[in-house]
Amino acid sequence: MPLAADVTSNLLRSLKIVQSLGEAVPHGGILKAVAGVGIILLETAERVRQNKEECVDIARRAAEHISMLNRFGEVDDISEDLIERLERYHKVLEEVLKKVERLGADSSWKRTLRQSSVQDETKECLSSLNEAYQMNECANVEAGFPSITGSR
């Protein structure tokens, strides 16, 4: 089911904050890039005609994860290690975006024939997002950056 307009608006606003943060923090270009893919992913999911519920769910999860990156506004500089991890996360997001675009473009007869495949791709996208995010989160906590829950 499509996201409510206020939820979409709030997620877009959060992603734009992270994108702006990327401009303000030294070496924050990767934050800006990650947020940019998240914005495109969210906008794409809202536009698709086929498999919309699955696409929106994937986009929502990615946007929620990306919006947590605003905590890097608390640090003065981003380490090379963090930049590398964010670059890997960025690549995962780009792969997920391609899959969402493909899922959204499937014709209705293909969708009927491939319903289990759509579900598998959706699960794979969500799993990829969760795995990439959790790898970043664990490494951030180990490096002393604040976690989502605020613990160190």
Side-chain angles (χ1 to χ4, degrees):
M1 107 182 141
L3 290 174
D6 60 332
V7 173
T8 300
S9 175
N10 287 339
L11 287 172
L12 280 171
R13 191 174 12 258
S14 293
L15 295 178
K16 288 179 181 179
I17 288 169
V18 173
Q19 197 174 39
S20 296
L21 180 64
E23 295 173 0
V25 176
H27 308 293
I30 189 64
L31 290 175
K32 185 176 177 181
V34 167
V37 172
I39 290 168
I40 293 168
L41 183 57
L42 196 57
E43 290 172 345
T44 299
E46 284 295 318
R47 269 195 321 268
V48 299
R49 298 189 190 284
Q50 304 298 326
N51 306 309
K52 187 171 186 103
E53 185 175 332
E54 293 86 353
C55 293
V56 167
D57 190 35
I58 293 166
R60 179 194 52 79
R61 182 85 50 92
E64 289 171 352
H65 288 174
I66 295 166
S67 67
M68 296 299 165
L69 295 176
N70 69 8
R71 68 181 183 255
F72 292 111
E74 301 169 12
V75 296
D76 295 330
D77 199 5
I78 298 176
S79 70
E80 287 298 317
D81 179 57
L82 178 58
I83 290 171
E84 289 174 14
R85 285 184 278 120
L86 288 172
E87 286 172 347
R88 286 191 299 270
Y89 186 62
H90 183 249
K91 287 180 184 176
V92 169
L93 287 170
E94 287 179 328
E95 291 169 13
V96 167
L97 175 60
K98 287 177 189 173
K99 287 182 182 181
V100 166
E101 288 171 337
R102 189 174 60 246
L103 283 171
D106 281 349
S107 65
S108 59
W109 69 269
K110 266 186 165 178
R111 181 180 181 201
T112 303
L113 294 174
R114 296 180 351 121
Q115 188 60 34
S116 65
S117 177
V118 168
Q119 290 172 347
D120 290 344
E121 284 196 55
T122 300
K123 285 179 186 176
E124 183 181 318
C125 285
L126 291 171
S127 178
S128 295
L129 285 172
N130 286 334
E131 183 178 313
Y133 183 74
Q134 289 190 359
M135 284 177 29
N136 267 333
E137 183 63 18
C138 289
N140 291 341
V141 170
E142 287 175 13
F145 291 114
S147 74
I148 295 171
T149 61
S151 64
R152 285 188 178 246

